[in-house]
Amino acid sequence: MSDYVFYIGYVAAACTSMSFLPQAIKVIKTNDTESLSIGMYSVFTFGVLCWLLYGVVLMDWPMIIANVITFTLAGIILALKVKHTFFTKKITKTP
Amino acid sequence: MSDYVFYIGYVAAACTSMSFLPQAIKVIKTNDTESLSIGMYSVFTFGVLCWLLYGVVLMDWPMIIANVITFTLAGIILALKVKHTFFTKKITKTP
């Protein structure tokens, strides 16, 4: 199999890992997580933790590195969503 | 290697694929994509398309199926975000 196939894999891994960076920056800047789904971020973060564990068992470093990045970013977003959902009083928006 | 390692992989794949379902349902129901990052969903959806292509080249059916599901769900969310960002007039929220 030619090398270009692996480039597709690298591009895919880079995109799906790094994509959570703009979302993390957005929630940190705006402090707004209203339209984010807590269900999505709970299941997704747990799933990424499983991928990380899978990478550790296989000792696959690209998989470990990609999932550490994704886990950190998704974890930040989830933590802020949990904080806003359970520990912050709702403020009614006024014009 | 024992089978349990593969179970970790299956759980991981199921979680990260299906996690976008509650988010897609939420944006369809509420029609609210305000706090979602268009940057995240653009890069993520493109990344998932690359994973799908990678799966097709390798003829890896579990990878193809998982990424078709994720691509569909992330694509719906991205389409609604794009619609709200570029094609919907902003409505000022009043109490």
Side-chain angles (χ1 to χ4, degrees):
Chain A
M1 201 186 312
S2 60
D3 281 352
Y4 84 93
V5 178
F6 294 102
Y7 289 126
I8 300 173
Y10 286 130
V11 171
C15 286
T16 51
S17 286
M18 293 313 294
S19 64
F20 287 84
L21 186 63
Q23 182 69 73
I25 291 170
K26 184 170 175 136
V27 296
I28 290 167
K29 269 190 180 168
T30 63
N31 220 18
D32 175 19
T33 56
E34 183 86 24
S35 41
L36 301 185
S37 160
I38 195 166
M40 171 189 153
Y41 279 94
S42 306
V43 177
F44 185 82
T45 309
F46 175 75
V48 174
L49 193 65
C50 290
W51 277 128
L52 181 57
L53 190 63
Y54 191 65
V56 168
V57 173
L58 301 178
M59 278 313 286
D60 180 320
W61 279 102
M63 194 183 273
I64 293 170
I65 293 164
N67 284 296
V68 163
I69 294 169
T70 315
F71 180 74
T72 306
L73 295 169
I76 290 168
I77 299 165
L78 177 63
L80 283 167
K81 179 65 188 177
V82 167
K83 183 186 159 206
H84 295 161
T85 306
F86 299 111
F87 304 104
T88 309
K89 284 188 180 173
K90 296 244 173 188
I91 298 158
T92 310
K93 281 180 186 169
T94 52
Chain B
M1 201 186 310
S2 60
D3 281 350
Y4 85 94
V5 177
F6 293 102
Y7 289 126
I8 300 172
Y10 286 130
V11 171
C15 286
T16 51
S17 285
M18 294 312 295
S19 64
F20 286 84
L21 185 63
Q23 182 69 74
I25 291 170
K26 185 173 173 133
V27 296
I28 290 167
K29 270 189 180 168
T30 63
N31 220 16
D32 175 19
T33 56
E34 182 87 26
S35 41
L36 301 185
S37 161
I38 196 167
M40 170 188 154
Y41 279 95
S42 308
V43 177
F44 185 82
T45 308
F46 176 76
V48 174
L49 194 66
C50 291
W51 278 128
L52 182 56
L53 191 63
Y54 191 64
V56 169
V57 173
L58 300 178
M59 278 312 286
D60 180 320
W61 279 102
M63 194 183 273
I64 293 170
I65 293 164
N67 284 296
V68 164
I69 295 169
T70 315
F71 180 75
T72 307
L73 296 170
I76 290 169
I77 300 165
L78 177 63
L80 283 167
K81 179 67 188 176
V82 167
K83 182 187 159 204
H84 296 161
T85 306
F86 299 110
F87 303 104
T88 309
K89 283 188 179 174
K90 296 244 175 188
I91 297 158
T92 310
K93 282 180 186 168
T94 51

